[in-house]
Amino acid sequence: MSVMMVYITAGDVEEAREIGGELVMRHLAACVNIFEKMESMYWWEGRLERSDEAVLIAKTTPELVSKLTETVKNLHSYDCPAIIALEAEHGNEQFFEWIRSRTQ
């Protein structure tokens, strides 16, 4: 059995909390972790940008990644939000089962 760890950046911690809360309330993620401050450097519209962002890591099932992604895109303030799903195949199976029991 595997679960998905979905890495998402947000403009600030308030946006991260809003998105994370919606994902958990809608049972698209069993839980989210929010890291309040991260500095990002990236190219955007031909310029090198720097900004402070927040990071969410959402735990979900493979079956819900598409729906979770669409939900984040609809809630997010960015035109092109970072949403990256990574599969976790090994770990605490009891935790994996808890993730499955809390998502729909």
Side-chain angles (χ1 to χ4, degrees):
M1 168 186 354
S2 66
V3 297
M4 304 301 285
M5 307 288 286
V6 184
Y7 172 90
I8 305 161
T9 58
D12 56 36
V13 71
E14 289 82 20
E15 181 176 40
R17 286 179 182 141
E18 179 182 324
I19 292 169
E22 284 294 319
L23 295 177
V24 173
M25 291 297 295
R26 296 180 189 192
H27 299 280
L28 296 174
C31 68
V32 298
N33 301 117
I34 298 173
F35 299 87
E36 187 170 344
K37 186 163 169 135
M38 174 190 69
E39 183 176 340
S40 295
M41 295 176 60
Y42 52 93
W43 286 101
W44 186 253
E45 298 181 350
R47 293 182 17 192
L48 181 62
E49 299 284 342
R50 287 187 182 179
S51 62
D52 289 333
E53 294 183 295
V55 173
L56 291 90
I57 299 176
K59 288 96 166 186
T60 192
T61 63
E63 300 81 17
L64 290 174
V65 170
S66 293
K67 191 169 184 180
L68 182 146
T69 299
E70 285 307 309
T71 300
V72 172
K73 287 169 66 176
N74 288 332
L75 295 170
H76 213 290
S77 65
Y78 292 179
D79 293 335
C80 183
I83 307 167
I84 303 167
L86 304 169
E87 187 171 19
E89 295 179 335
H90 305 286
N92 181 352
E93 289 296 327
Q94 187 177 12
F95 182 68
F96 285 13
E97 190 56 44
W98 177 81
I99 292 170
R100 288 197 166 281
S101 75
R102 297 296 181 258
T103 54
Q104 301 181 26

